[in-house]
């Protein structure tokens, strides 16, 4: 039975895809990992339809969670339209739906071929975007995006645009091999785009 939703620290996470256009050096998917600290097996047999995902979420006591997070084991914004559809249905059906967050690499506009940020308004409370470097060179070395420097540029542009529509925009870095000076450069960059920086702990395999 595949894992569509899973719990972690009081939040409910939604796993819609295993597709990703990056190969981050710290990602647990390397060396055949199919799970993470969150759940043992997040590798999907198939991508759930939006209806399958909705049925799965209906079985949960959604108001009991502190947050609903679209994350999983791939880049959730490959399923942008399905996320928006799910959030709309849940807001209609569930009184007291918790705040909604998307954890993303910020490549949604590049992936979808259009600007999706306006579609997040009124639906998404927090967008958490992987920054992982203060320069294009560092970003590409750590994140290894399929589109190279275009991925860096798309991520920065998405962040800037998202701040107009989403109440909380956060950029994240993993503290693996980061000096205080490097972290400060990332913080300065995030704040210049209207976002705040969150430093995540590196979790070795």
């Amino acid at each position: 039975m595949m894992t569509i939703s899973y719990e972690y620290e009081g939040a409910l996470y939604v796993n819609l895809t295993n597709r990703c256009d990056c190969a981050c050096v710290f990602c647990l998917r390397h060396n055949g990992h199919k799970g993470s600290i969150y759940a043992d097996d997040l590798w999907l047999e198939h991508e759930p339809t939006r209806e399958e995902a909705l049925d799965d979420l209906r079985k949960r006591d959604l108001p009991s969670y502190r947050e609903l997070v679209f994350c999983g084991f791939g880049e959730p914004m490959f399923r942008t339209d399905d996320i928006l559809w799910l959030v709309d249905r849940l807001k209609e059906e569930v009184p007291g739906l918790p705040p909604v967050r998307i954890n993303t690499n910020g490549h949604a506009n590049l992936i979808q071929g259009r600007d999706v940020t306006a579609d997040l308004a009124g639906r998404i409370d927090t967008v958490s975007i992987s920054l992982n470097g203060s320069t294009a060179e560092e970003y590409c070395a750590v994140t290894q995006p399929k589109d190279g420097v275009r991925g860096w540029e798309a991520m920065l542009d998405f962040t800037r645009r998202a701040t107009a529509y989403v109440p909380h925009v956060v950029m994240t870095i993993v503290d693996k091999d980061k000096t205080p000076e490097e972290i400060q450069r990332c913080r300065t960059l995030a704040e210049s785009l209207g976002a705040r920086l969150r430093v995540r702990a590196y979790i070795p395999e």
Side-chain angles (χ1 to χ4, degrees), residues 8-9 14 20 30 67-68 82 94 101 103 111 117 120 123 135 138 169 182-183 187 193 204:
Y8 182 71
E9 292 187 342
V14 186
C20 190
H30 294 312
E67 201 171 24
L68 179 65
D82 295 319
V94 182
R101 167 162 52 105
N103 288 356
I111 291 167
T117 53
L120 307 179
R123 292 170 163 134
T135 66
E138 184 182 5
V169 178
E182 289 170 328
I183 292 172
R187 179 171 287 107
L193 298 170

Side-chain angles (χ1 to χ4, degrees), residues 22 24 26 104-107 128-145 151-152 155-156 159 170-174 178 182-193 195-200:
C22 292
C24 299
F26 52 78
T104 176
N105 62 20
H107 295 171
S128 179
I129 301 160
S130 297
L131 173 58
N132 295 321
S134 62
T135 66
E137 292 75 16
E138 184 182 5
Y139 175 83
C140 289
V142 172
T143 306
Q144 303 185 78
W152 160 260
M155 178 271 297
L156 297 179
T159 302
V170 181
M171 303 188 89
T172 67
I173 60 173
V174 174
K178 286 281 192 298
E182 289 170 328
I183 292 172
Q184 183 55 48
R185 286 196 291 271
C186 290
R187 179 171 287 107
T188 298
L189 175 58
E191 291 175 353
S192 76
L193 298 170
R196 68 176 180 85
L197 185 73
R198 174 174 172 251
V199 182
R200 297 163 50 206

Side-chain angles (χ1 to χ4, degrees), residues 2 4 14 16 46-58 70 78-90 93 114:
M2 64 183 184
I4 296 175
V14 186
L16 294 180
H46 66 271
E47 287 195 352
T49 65
R50 54 176 58 172
E51 290 81 9
E52 286 176 315
L54 182 60
D55 287 344
D56 182 272
L57 293 172
R58 281 171 171 156
F70 289 91
F78 273 99
R79 304 286 305 271
T80 297
D81 291 338
D82 295 319
I83 290 174
L84 301 177
W85 183 88
L86 284 166
V87 172
D88 286 346
R89 298 292 82 73
L90 293 174
E93 295 181 14
R114 63 185 176 89

Side-chain angles (χ1 to χ4, degrees), residues 6-13 38 61-69 98-99 101:
Y6 56 98
E7 300 173 338
Y8 182 71
E9 292 187 342
L12 184 68
Y13 287 72
Y38 309 105
D61 180 15
L62 292 173
S64 69
Y65 296 101
R66 62 175 176 81
E67 201 171 24
L68 179 65
V69 185
R101 167 162 52 105

